[in-house]
Amino acid sequence: MKRFLVFFFILIHSIAHSQENENKTAEIIRTKESLSNEEFNKIIQTNFSKLITGQSANNIGSYAGVDIEKTEVTFSPTFILKNGNIVTGKMMGGISDGMYSIFNNSKLNTNISLEVQYHFLFNNQPKIIYYYKNDLDKQREALQKIDKEYKDALIKIDSSFDKKSRIIENNQLETDNKTADTKIKKLKKLKSDLKDSPIPKVQDSVTAYRELYDAQITVENIKKKQNQAKITENDSLNKIFNKLKERLKIGNARAERLQENDISKLKVAGYRFAWFSMSAKLKNDDFRLLNPQEPYEKQITKDNYVSYEFKTQYSYINLNPSKNDKTTYLTSSLTMKYKSNFNDLKKVEVSQTNLTGTSSNQTRETVEKYFAYSGVYKTGITEINADIDFYHFPFRNSSIGFHLFPNSKYTENLKPVYNAGFGVVFPFIDKKKDKSTINAELYYNAVNIFNSKDSDYSLIERNNIGIRLVFPISFNLK
């Protein structure tokens, strides 16, 4: 019954997403015939960085994540280089009281690892992108509009803000003011030459001329005042206005608009490319060892060990939006480790009782509980791991996926260990933010298939079954 319910849940989940995606029809272009090589590479590199840094709907990579099963936190700052390659620093450690400490009381955190990764596109593999023709046409139209408005603004600056024309106008206005001064001086002399007369009619004529001269002088003064105001305005504009500064201003506005409509922001429906990664990692384990064979006071000892790891990895992704092709993600890695067998030790809870007090009537019993590890502890072990992770999403929009993860381990003086796992992945997508809110995987992992460790369990019993939940967390690094 349980198996039937799981199968029914998977089927309903898949049908719902597949029907939803079939309704989203659009003309999808697979080739790069409308794009230059520079534009094509920019789109590929942008989506490559989104994939590695976790800023895409798939969320295969992430800036930070919390794994419920392992109770650990991951912090992963990422640096995108100019050539499109990516450097990632990864820091992992155990969670304690909701906090993640690197150092505690000047001591390194018990369970911490530091890792540096370098990712670059694999150029020997053909790269493909899928985009919508309508979106590309709109982007082209926006670029043409930005270019036209920029050229119009330049013409306006050259025609409306001519510094030389204002200088020529000021010279003419100053000449007009000098002419007005000469005219005013002449009018004042004519006015002063008029003499009063005892004859009433003659005196009326003298008064009329004086009023006429005063009116003409007033008109000339008004002209001078207007000319001077215009001269002051032109001087002010010439001091304030800088043609180069205005050009830079509209140039900056154009650059901002071009950035908003950059080809790298073209909506991509899918892509196909491969990349190669190299990484180096060190991990510190600080723990207690339990040896029941020793005397009581020597059974618990503290130990510390730093292990090293070097990895090379090849990855390939085919995120295909068409109905016929399926989405695939493949990664294979080879890892060399110099480590201890800390992960093979058995974790046990230890209760230690202490008595405090100065007399039999004032004795208090306290119990301290902590974890220790038992087993034969070894260091300086060289190990090589070969891992493969294969994700296959048979429906569009990555609504549900199947995960295969076989791996093998080769350790000096020990037989190789082979494991093989299978899982069903449910990425729950937040449609508004276009990314996963939670990734859930129901998995089955067959361990130690050929019983290299001489286990007492049968092949059917040597397995892990469970649900893995991962919450992707993204930071806005602006």
Side-chain angles (χ1 to χ4, degrees):
M1 184 62 182
K2 292 181 179 179
R3 293 180 181 177
F4 174 76
L5 290 176
V6 171
F7 175 76
F8 182 75
F9 171 72
I10 294 174
L11 182 63
I12 295 299
H13 185 83
S14 304
I15 293 174
H17 279 273
S18 61
Q19 288 179 346
E20 174 189 351
N21 291 324
E22 286 180 359
N23 294 330
K24 297 179 180 179
T25 57
E27 185 181 1
I28 299 175
I29 306 300
R30 179 183 176 188
T31 64
K32 60 175 182 178
E33 62 181 79
S34 301
L35 302 171
S36 66
N37 288 333
E38 182 181 356
E39 291 174 328
F40 181 80
N41 290 332
K42 184 178 287 189
I43 295 174
I44 285 289
Q45 290 175 352
T46 299
N47 287 275
F48 171 54
S49 64
K50 286 181 179 180
L51 185 66
I52 298 298
T53 59
Q55 300 302 298
S56 65
N58 297 70
N59 268 297
I60 293 174
S62 184
Y63 278 114
V66 177
D67 193 320
I68 295 177
E69 180 193 22
K70 296 181 179 179
T71 318
E72 64 182 20
V73 64
T74 301
F75 175 66
S76 182
T78 302
F79 306 92
I80 303 173
L81 306 181
K82 290 183 179 180
N83 59 4
N85 296 340
I86 298 172
V87 178
T88 300
K90 185 173 291 185
M91 188 181 300
M92 299 178 65
I95 300 175
S96 176
D97 298 329
M99 298 182 296
Y100 169 37
S101 301
I102 301 175
F103 289 89
N104 187 13
N105 297 328
S106 300
K107 293 183 180 180
L108 200 61
N109 188 351
T110 300
N111 180 25
I112 184 173
S113 64
L114 304 175
E115 183 177 2
V116 177
Q117 302 173 348
Y118 186 83
H119 311 271
F120 56 93
L121 285 169
F122 194 60
N123 293 323
N124 292 339
Q125 192 100 15
K127 296 183 281 288
I128 293 174
I129 57 174
Y130 302 85
Y131 57 91
Y132 298 97
K133 184 178 183 300
N134 290 340
D135 290 338
L136 181 63
D137 292 341
K138 290 179 182 178
Q139 196 264 349
R140 292 284 191 262
E141 291 176 4
L143 292 181
Q144 291 177 359
K145 182 179 179 181
I146 293 171
D147 190 56
K148 182 179 183 304
E149 291 178 354
Y150 173 69
K151 291 179 179 178
D152 292 343
L154 287 179
I155 294 173
K156 184 177 180 181
I157 288 176
D158 293 336
S159 61
S160 302
F161 298 97
D162 192 347
K163 190 174 182 179
K164 290 183 179 180
S165 65
R166 284 194 290 266
I167 294 175
I168 293 173
E169 183 182 15
N170 280 3
N171 291 335
Q172 182 62 46
L173 292 173
E174 288 174 355
T175 300
D176 293 344
N177 283 349
K178 289 179 181 179
T179 302
D181 286 337
T182 302
K183 199 170 184 179
I184 290 172
K185 186 177 181 181
K186 184 178 179 181
L187 289 170
K188 286 182 177 180
K189 187 176 185 309
L190 291 173
K191 180 181 175 181
S192 64
D193 289 342
L194 293 174
K195 296 181 179 180
D196 293 336
S197 175
I199 302 172
K201 290 185 178 181
V202 175
Q203 184 60 38
D204 290 341
S205 179
V206 170
T207 301
Y209 272 107
R210 285 176 175 171
E211 291 177 351
L212 176 63
Y213 292 151
D214 285 338
Q216 291 177 339
I217 291 172
T218 299
V219 170
E220 295 300 322
N221 282 326
I222 291 174
K223 288 181 179 179
K224 280 182 61 180
K225 188 174 181 180
Q226 291 175 341
N227 290 344
Q228 189 59 47
K230 186 63 176 177
I231 291 171
T232 302
E233 179 185 351
N234 286 340
D235 287 340
S236 177
L237 287 174
N238 283 346
K239 289 179 181 179
I240 294 173
F241 178 76
N242 185 315
K243 184 179 289 188
L244 178 60
K245 183 178 179 181
E246 293 298 319
R247 282 175 172 269
L248 288 175
K249 186 187 297 183
I250 65 170
N252 290 336
R254 174 176 177 266
E256 289 180 3
R257 294 183 63 189
L258 288 175
Q259 181 64 27
E260 293 175 358
N261 291 273
D262 189 78
I263 192 67
S264 63
K265 297 183 179 180
L266 179 70
K267 183 178 179 181
V268 174
Y271 42 74
R272 188 180 83 188
F273 54 79
W275 69 95
F276 193 74
S277 306
M278 298 181 295
S279 66
K281 177 180 179 181
L282 63 87
K283 181 181 179 183
N284 176 79
D285 290 311
D286 188 4
F287 52 91
R288 291 183 174 94
L289 283 173
L290 170 62
N291 188 355
Q293 306 301 324
E294 293 288 337
Y296 178 80
E297 63 276 4
K298 295 183 179 181
Q299 287 181 354
I300 301 294
T301 58
K302 289 187 178 181
D303 206 330
N304 175 278
Y305 190 78
V306 178
S307 58
Y308 303 90
E309 177 181 310
F310 302 94
K311 178 191 287 188
T312 59
Q313 181 171 306
Y314 170 83
S315 303
Y316 166 84
I317 188 167
N318 180 17
L319 181 60
N320 201 313
S322 63
K323 296 180 181 179
N324 298 326
D325 295 328
K326 310 302 179 184
T327 297
T328 301
Y329 171 71
L330 169 69
T331 178
S332 60
S333 63
L334 188 65
T335 309
M336 186 183 73
K337 300 180 180 181
Y338 185 77
K339 47 170 276 186
S340 69
N341 68 335
F342 171 71
N343 291 330
D344 296 331
L345 301 180
K346 184 179 180 181
K347 185 178 181 181
V348 294
E349 185 178 22
V350 177
S351 298
Q352 183 171 317
T353 303
N354 300 310
L355 297 177
T356 60
T358 57
S359 65
S360 60
N361 295 329
Q362 295 180 337
T363 300
R364 178 176 288 110
E365 184 180 283
T366 60
V367 178
E368 178 187 1
K369 292 186 178 182
Y370 53 84
F371 289 106
Y373 295 83
S374 64
V376 180
Y377 178 56
K378 297 180 181 179
T379 60
I381 300 173
T382 301
E383 179 181 295
I384 296 178
N385 289 359
D387 298 88
I388 294 177
D389 279 285
F390 177 77
Y391 289 87
H392 183 67
F393 294 87
F395 306 103
R396 292 179 61 188
N397 202 30
S398 303
S399 57
I400 190 172
F402 301 102
H403 181 200
L404 294 175
F405 48 101
N407 62 82
S408 57
K409 181 170 63 175
Y410 307 89
T411 309
E412 54 184 336
N413 302 325
L414 294 176
K415 296 179 182 179
V417 177
Y418 300 94
N419 308 313
F422 172 78
V424 182
V425 183
F426 303 96
F428 295 91
I429 305 297
D430 185 338
K431 295 179 182 177
K432 293 182 179 179
K433 297 182 179 180
D434 193 28
K435 63 181 180 181
S436 300
T437 55
I438 182 175
N439 295 334
E441 179 180 356
L442 178 66
Y443 68 90
Y444 172 88
N445 188 22
V447 299
N448 192 18
I449 295 176
F450 299 107
N451 199 17
S452 303
K453 296 183 178 182
D454 298 324
S455 173
D456 294 332
Y457 294 103
S458 65
L459 175 61
I460 298 177
E461 294 173 325
R462 295 194 301 272
N463 59 63
N464 291 323
I465 302 174
I467 297 177
R468 185 161 37 227
L469 299 176
V470 177
F471 292 96
I473 305 172
S474 299
F475 297 107
N476 186 11
L477 302 180
K478 288 187 178 180

